Amino acid sequence: MDARGQLAKDLAALGFCVGRSHTNFLLATPPNNKAKRLYQQLKEQQIMIRYFAEPKLDNKLRITVGTSEQNARLVNAITQLLSE
């Protein structure tokens, strides 16, 4: 499985709704409308993703697909944040 597919699978396992992608990023809706909160918490950990405070996007995160190590760090951080 490629890095994008693995990241999408990992995010889905955490309860994200992940749209199909043929690009280097995923548009993912986190569970419980936590997009802005997750964006801010990840930024504090120096993990940069995108959040747009725009209608129809304010409940989603734009996540660039990184290396396997970067993606694992992101998924581990999100796992920890969602369990808090």
Side-chain angles (χ1 to χ4, degrees), residues 4 9 12 29 54 57 59 66 75:
R4 182 181 55 228
K9 180 181 172 184
T29 305
E54 301 290 332
L57 289 175
N59 66 336
V75 170

Side-chain angles (χ1 to χ4, degrees), residues 39-49 73 77:
Y39 161 75
Q40 292 168 334
Q41 291 172 313
L42 290 168
K43 186 176 178 182
E44 290 171 7
Q45 296 183 36
Q46 305 298 309
I47 298 174
M48 303 304 180
I49 59 173
R73 181 174 175 230

Side-chain angles (χ1 to χ4, degrees), residues 21-73:
S21 176
H22 298 284
T23 63
N24 69 334
F25 67 89
L26 299 173
L27 192 61
T29 305
N32 304 321
N33 199 25
K34 293 185 178 185
K36 185 174 183 179
R37 181 172 165 224
L38 281 173
Y39 161 75
Q40 292 168 334
Q41 291 172 313
L42 290 168
K43 186 176 178 182
E44 290 171 7
Q45 296 183 36
Q46 305 298 309
I47 298 174
M48 303 304 180
I49 59 173
R50 297 292 305 268
Y51 170 77
F52 301 98
E54 301 290 332
K56 298 186 181 180
L57 289 175
D58 61 350
N59 66 336
K60 295 174 179 55
L61 298 170
R62 183 191 183 276
I63 302 171
T64 301
V65 178
T67 64
S68 296
E69 294 81 16
Q70 290 168 331
N71 293 342
R73 181 174 175 230

